[in-house]
Amino acid sequence: MSGMVKRESYIIELDDDAVGVVVAYGSRVTFHASDARMAGLEGRVFEDAGAAVRAARSELRKAA
């Protein structure tokens, strides 16, 4: 398995709704929306999952 890259993914839930998934690649994560309200975050790269959650919360407030 030499040269293989380990990828981890995390479901992002806000207010009991799954709104997206972040996939870790190296030291960053990429956001993949599973909720139409998160379309503006699709494909965005964040420093970590916490930054992605904060951005998702912001998008949720904008959609309200």
Side-chain angles (χ1 to χ4, degrees):
M1 292 207 153
S2 180
M4 297 290 289
V5 175
K6 182 179 177 183
R7 293 186 185 198
E8 294 184 33
S9 60
Y10 306 93
I11 297 171
I12 303 297
E13 292 183 0
L14 301 176
D15 300 330
D16 295 325
D17 291 326
V19 296
V21 175
V22 290
V23 178
Y25 186 78
S27 63
R28 295 184 176 195
V29 298
T30 303
F31 190 94
H32 299 282
S34 62
D35 184 303
R37 297 172 293 180
M38 301 295 123
L41 299 179
E42 179 63 35
R44 282 196 43 199
V45 176
F46 295 93
E47 290 298 317
D48 55 36
V53 168
R54 288 188 295 278
R57 285 191 194 285
S58 178
E59 286 294 305
L60 192 59
R61 282 191 297 271
K62 288 178 194 175

